[in-house]
Amino acid sequence: SHRSQRLLLMIKKNILFLCVANSARSQMAEALARHLYGESANIQSAGSKPSQVNPFATAAMEAIGISMDNHHSKSVDGIDHNTIDVVVSLCAEEVCPAFLGQAKRLHWPLSDPDPKNEMLGDEATLRRFQRARDTLKERLVSEKKALFS
């Protein structure tokens, strides 16, 4: 029934993962959290300067059987601040976007795996993304209580 669906939505945590481009770290965090937490949370990701989903992020996730085919970069400006319970910022060396609203804030600094202007081959780049993915997965498991409290 609609009423029981509404009740279920009311008790779900609404979690937002935030970085600048919403192309790698926050996208992988969103996909991993959906995989790990299932129906217990509504998971989103966004960035202050959205670009496009990094193909290495997609490849790193596909390597563990998680598809990001329906993912796209989204702007934090398009997120309703009143609907978010927890914001997890993933920026390390760059300035994280500001998020207004009453949400609980967690900061998990994670270096951007994208080599940008560094001359790095595809294999080495993919390994960077896989390390970032594994770090995020460990954090999502170890910090679950903090996210849901």
Side-chain angles (χ1 to χ4, degrees):
S1 77
H2 280 304
R3 186 156 184 254
S4 61
Q5 282 179 326
R6 260 202 324 269
L7 282 171
L8 189 63
L9 284 173
M10 284 168 46
I11 58 171
K12 277 186 178 186
K13 280 289 182 184
N14 293 295
I15 303 170
L16 174 65
F17 293 96
L18 209 52
C19 64
V20 176
N22 189 222
S23 65
R25 293 165 291 188
S26 54
Q27 290 285 347
M28 290 192 293
E30 176 185 356
L32 284 163
R34 282 191 177 149
H35 178 76
L36 293 168
Y37 302 154
E39 291 297 311
S40 61
N42 294 311
I43 310 291
Q44 298 179 73
S45 69
S48 53
K49 296 178 184 157
S51 58
Q52 58 193 24
V53 178
N54 190 303
F56 286 102
T58 303
M61 295 305 295
E62 283 174 356
I64 60 167
I66 299 174
S67 170
M68 292 199 332
D69 285 349
N70 59 349
H71 283 229
H72 61 280
S73 293
K74 300 161 292 295
S75 172
V76 68
D77 297 335
I79 303 288
D80 180 353
H81 302 275
N82 300 315
T83 63
I84 302 299
D85 299 311
V86 184
V87 176
V88 181
S89 57
L90 300 167
C91 309
E93 55 279 329
E94 64 281 81
V95 176
C96 246
F99 186 82
L100 305 172
Q102 299 304 307
K104 175 179 178 176
R105 288 167 172 73
L106 299 173
H107 183 58
W108 300 353
L110 182 64
S111 291
D112 189 349
D114 189 340
K116 305 256 187 305
N117 302 324
E118 239 179 285
M119 295 307 290
L120 209 58
D122 285 358
E123 270 184 53
T125 300
L126 182 57
R127 277 196 301 276
R128 267 194 193 180
F129 278 82
Q130 289 169 332
R131 278 195 303 274
R133 174 204 66 205
D134 294 345
T135 300
L136 285 166
K137 187 174 182 183
E138 288 167 17
R139 204 77 198 253
L140 286 164
V141 170
S142 68
E143 302 280 339
K144 184 176 182 181
K145 193 179 276 184
L147 284 168
F148 284 86
S149 63

